[in-house]
Amino acid sequence: MRVEYINPFVEAAFNVLKEVLNADVRRGELYLKSTTMPVLGVAALVGLAGDVEGRVLFDMSKDTALAVASAMNGEQLPSLDELGKATITELANMITAQAVTKLHDLGFKFDLTPPALFTGENMEISDHEVEALIVPMEVPQGKIEINVAIRERA
Amino acid sequence: MKTKQDFPSINERAPDGKKEDGTPFRVLIVDDSMFVAKQIGQILTSEGYDVVASAADGEQGVEKYKELYPNIDLVTMDITMPKMDGITALEHIMNFDKNARVVMISALGKQDLVKKSLLLGARNYIVKPLDRKKVLERISQVLEK
């Protein structure tokens, strides 16, 4: 996978998380995952289709999701309820939108699907066609992994 | 405890959300994200605006506008929504009331749609993530005109 696809997501995630959480964000080391991978507990998935195709997954533990949603709402949410889920979905939306703007400026044209949110224990994602690059982001609420799998359309 | 006398007012500025006669501006929020709707609602309410209704898609937004009219001063309109998107809803509202004041709420990367909505009659736009200052500035600009 070309690094041009990744950087916009890293930058966008960094900027948006910093702004909405009003806190320090640290980027961890990138790494590659292939075939089947476990999901941390709450995952927002955005699909891409056009010149390039694939998906971006925002993956975090349930505790982190709840803490992030609470911080973004300015109040402690009792659980990852409807509002909490809408908050995480919107976070994925904002990050993807910003990244895609950058990719459009670089000349890549494609559309996005609305984010879908998955929650549950012991989930795995299997993707045999595309390898995924993981960008871990450390925020005060925990770790958010941004999992990008994009390829050029054949 | 005597309150009013004990605590002198240190904030002489009138809140943005009030008209000259002291009544609040009435706002309709159209957004499919519960989070964004709540965020806009909190920001506006804290400045004295009255959020009179909210709608979760464009179709509902147009219906609510027609119901509330003429007792409505401003609409915040998301762009990407199920059933009917914000641009189409804007067109319906402008056809119904050419003086409607609609502010678009957009994610980054939708410049073309924002331009289109401004041509169709939207008064201004706000790009997410929303911050309090930005939202209040843009909205009070629209209401001054």
Side-chain angles (χ1 to χ4, degrees):
Chain A
M1 188 169 28
R2 288 160 62 180
V3 70
E4 290 104 298
Y5 301 148
I6 300 297
N7 282 338
F9 287 98
V10 178
E11 280 171 40
F14 186 85
N15 294 338
V16 171
L17 286 171
K18 207 171 153 177
E19 186 169 343
V20 300
L21 297 175
N22 196 15
D24 273 340
V25 179
R26 246 180 18 150
R27 201 195 88 182
E29 285 296 313
L30 304 182
Y31 63 97
L32 268 173
K33 262 186 192 174
S34 56
T35 63
T36 305
M37 59 193 109
V39 176
L40 300 174
V42 176
L45 184 135
V46 180
L48 291 74
D51 293 351
V52 294
E53 57 188 10
R55 47 123 186 108
V56 182
L57 195 68
F58 299 86
D59 190 13
M60 63 200 95
S61 73
K62 215 165 183 178
D63 289 345
T64 302
L66 182 58
V68 166
S70 298
M72 286 176 68
N73 278 289
E75 60 178 290
Q76 181 60 46
L77 302 180
S79 65
L80 203 63
D81 52 11
E82 215 183 321
L83 175 62
K85 287 178 185 166
T87 309
I88 298 298
T89 306
E90 184 56 27
L91 176 66
N93 240 335
M94 287 187 287
I95 295 176
T96 321
Q98 206 173 101
V100 164
T101 307
K102 288 180 184 157
L103 285 165
H104 281 183
D105 292 344
L106 292 173
F108 300 106
K109 295 280 171 268
F110 52 85
D111 286 322
L112 296 176
T113 63
L117 197 72
F118 298 82
T119 53
E121 303 298 322
N122 296 323
M123 291 191 294
E124 284 186 346
I125 293 208
S126 300
D127 202 336
H128 297 286
E129 303 290 320
V130 202
E131 57 185 3
L133 237 174
I134 319 292
V135 187
M137 292 287 190
E138 298 279 348
V139 296
Q141 290 79 8
K143 183 176 68 173
I144 301 176
E145 287 197 345
I146 299 160
N147 178 319
V148 186
I150 301 178
R151 63 173 177 191
E152 269 156 81
R153 182 164 273 180
Chain B
M1 188 173 68
K2 289 181 282 180
T3 52
K4 285 209 167 124
Q5 278 136 356
D6 288 349
F7 297 107
S9 170
I10 52 167
N11 183 7
E12 295 299 339
R13 187 180 69 88
D16 288 350
K18 298 271 194 270
K19 298 178 195 174
E20 271 174 26
D21 63 6
T23 59
F25 285 109
R26 290 152 302 188
V27 184
L28 165 66
I29 297 174
V30 187
D31 206 304
D32 65 325
S33 166
M34 201 181 176
F35 168 67
V36 179
K38 182 178 166 228
Q39 216 184 7
I40 299 173
Q42 278 176 342
I43 294 172
L44 294 182
T45 313
S46 74
E47 237 347 275
Y49 290 91
D50 184 10
V51 177
V52 286
S54 59
D57 62 63
E59 219 171 81
Q60 231 184 65
V62 175
E63 268 170 39
K64 287 258 168 78
Y65 191 89
K66 289 180 177 169
E67 248 172 66
L68 291 166
Y69 181 83
N71 298 313
I72 179 82
D73 301 299
L74 184 97
V75 181
T76 72
M77 180 75 76
D78 186 20
I79 292 186
T80 316
M81 285 183 291
K83 281 195 203 165
M84 183 194 284
D85 65 75
I87 308 264
T88 313
L90 168 73
E91 275 186 281
H92 284 284
I93 290 178
M94 296 312 296
N95 285 339
F96 173 76
D97 169 18
K98 65 178 180 9
N99 297 316
R101 287 182 282 205
V102 181
V103 174
M104 306 307 284
I105 307 290
S106 167
L108 201 69
K110 308 244 187 260
Q111 287 95 328
D112 293 348
L113 294 176
V114 168
K115 259 184 232 162
K116 190 175 168 194
S117 56
L118 292 174
L119 290 172
L120 287 168
R123 299 291 181 94
N124 212 331
Y125 65 96
I126 305 168
V127 175
K128 294 186 278 190
L130 301 175
D131 85 17
R132 188 184 149 78
K133 198 169 149 247
K134 191 162 70 181
V135 170
L136 292 174
E137 252 174 37
R138 295 285 169 96
I139 285 181
S140 59
Q141 271 170 23
V142 167
L143 292 168
E144 272 165 22
K145 280 177 203 164

